[in-house]
Amino acid sequence: MNGPPPAVILVRPQLGVNIGAVARAMMNFGLTDLRLVRPRDGWPNPDAGPAASGAGAILDAARVYDDVASACAGLHLVFATAMLMRPLTRRVVTPERAVAELRALGLSQGMGGGILFGPERTGLETADLAVAHAVCSIPTNPAFGSLNLAQAVVVCAYEWMRQQETMPADELVNYSGPAPMEKLEALIVDLDERLGANRYYSNGPGRREAAMLTLRNLLTRPQFTEGEVRTLRGVVRILNVPRGAAGDNNQD
Amino acid sequence: MNGPPPAVILVRPQLGVNIGAVARAMMNFGLTDLRLVRPRDGWPNPDAGPAASGAGAILDAARVYDDVASACAGLHLVFATAMLMRPLTRRVVTPERAVAELRALGLSQGMGGGILFGPERTGLETADLAVAHAVCSIPTNPAFGSLNLAQAVVVCAYEWMRQQETMPADELVNYSGPAPMEKLEALIVDLDERLGANRYYSNGPGRREAAMLTLRNLLTRPQFTEGEVRTLRGVVRILNVPRGAAGDNNQD
């Protein structure tokens, strides 16, 4: 049970291809509510659809507004993405924190919020920022901080998805589980015998034990499946040619 | 002190504009090492530069390889971004986890890693995935999971930046600190007197105390600065017209 996903509010966007790319990114990450404030080339824009690559439903449902305040109607918490702070007193938060606050508001009160994104070339103006409760600052390379509009939306939309995600952080896929211990042990014993027969171990005291510890370590840690252990036994058998047998040209 | 940022390895990329957009996103988030495996239209590609929007240095330094294994030379830990798992046994991790592992390897051993991204239309093939230690799966809308190539890179590059960032998660900017308590108190007292004089408070017992608690609450929580408190006192003074004065047309 989550609150509504945040609205994406594009303020005076310039390029239809960017609006389309924004719609695609929104749909990729589960956002649906696209709001446009005075798009430069009007609306609808024929360049947006192809760039949306199948996310046309989001473009079709987009609403157009005359100003930022109108576009925020119905929302309860609004962040403005910005690179520079104008002389307004505002909290500046990371995307992670902004999304966590939007998510918490949805969970606790069922209320939705939104995020403002400025025009491609200039970003948001002070008057736009003043409407928002706080500023969301995407961390970037200080020497090269200007993000593409759609890529700024990707970061925020990905954060939304990341913070709701239920997929495990780390999962082994197509894995039938570790082999029965006795099968792994049989591989290790077989290897030990064949290596001993081929004089792999030097004669010093404890050398065999040390070498076998290394081999046991590297063969045990991967949690090989029964099938993989069987494959390794086959490989060992095929590779193994007894010392002194035909083809043994080892010189030592 | 961090390890080297992960290499971005584009496997058989199709469109120059996407390679350029990848370079821009890399530079935005502090990555530098771009590797290309058999780019479809050869290399260099005239479409890449304009799309890189100033990140041409990354394109200039990009290296081209014949196969995935060669492109991974010099790296110690490689993740493959993929939507579907082929029948390989691999860990599948979130971008967050993948980047945390790359970062940990850099911090503890000084070793660098990389992330593979497949061609636009088809994604990575099984043989490509087989080279990687693990799969990095970007969480997306199950009904609309196909990410633009550059946007997939944005997610991973942003994770890298996010996990190193030193900026505070939440900071109040252009804020001179809360006003001295006595200035806030003077505002509250002034307001109380003016409201009382204008019969704002109903006559029931405790009504004045309840109303003042509400006002004190909403005026205290924002931690207004001394200048803001001064502004509010001015606003109260300008608004306030004593009951019965000229222009008072309140009917109650």
Side-chain angles (χ1 to χ4, degrees), chain B residues 9-41:
Chain B
I9 305 164
L10 304 185
V11 181
R12 301 181 298 279
Q14 300 179 311
L15 299 175
V17 291
N18 282 339
I19 301 172
V22 164
R24 177 177 181 180
M26 289 175 64
M27 196 149 168
N28 281 145
F29 296 111
L31 308 191
T32 53
D33 185 354
L34 176 60
R35 305 179 182 204
L36 307 173
V37 178
R38 286 196 279 117
R40 186 190 65 183
D41 300 333

Side-chain angles (χ1 to χ4, degrees), chain A residues 21 24-25 27-29 53-55 85-97 101 137-141 144-148 150-151 154-155 158-159 161-162 165 167-175, chain B residues 21 24-25 27-29 53-55 85-97 101 137-141 144-148 150-151 154-155 158-159 161-162 165 167-175:
Chain A
R24 178 177 179 179
M27 195 149 170
N28 282 145
F29 295 111
S53 289
M85 265 315 286
R86 279 73 168 201
L88 292 172
T89 305
R90 280 293 185 282
R91 289 191 306 130
V92 175
V93 302
T94 60
E96 189 172 356
R97 174 66 68 108
E101 292 184 14
S137 176
I138 298 175
T140 52
N141 177 353
F144 192 74
S146 174
L147 286 169
N148 168 272
Q151 299 194 344
V154 165
V155 167
Y158 161 71
E159 273 290 349
M161 178 63 81
R162 184 176 75 81
E165 81 184 73
M167 70 181 263
D170 190 345
E171 183 184 18
L172 195 55
V173 173
N174 295 326
Y175 179 60
Chain B
R24 177 177 181 180
M27 196 149 168
N28 281 145
F29 296 111
S53 290
M85 264 315 284
R86 278 74 168 200
L88 292 172
T89 305
R90 282 293 184 284
R91 289 191 307 131
V92 175
V93 302
T94 59
E96 189 173 355
R97 175 65 69 105
E101 292 185 14
S137 177
I138 298 174
T140 51
N141 177 353
F144 192 75
S146 174
L147 287 168
N148 167 273
Q151 299 193 345
V154 165
V155 167
Y158 160 72
E159 273 290 348
M161 177 63 82
R162 184 176 74 82
E165 82 184 73
M167 69 181 265
D170 189 345
E171 183 184 19
L172 195 55
V173 173
N174 294 327
Y175 180 60

Side-chain angles (χ1 to χ4, degrees), chain B residues 193-201 239-252:
Chain B
E193 288 172 358
R194 292 174 187 268
L195 291 173
N198 276 10
R199 291 160 298 173
Y200 176 72
Y201 304 119
L239 287 178
N240 180 230
V241 179
R243 284 283 166 125
D248 180 2
N249 58 2
N250 192 310
Q251 301 301 312
D252 73 352

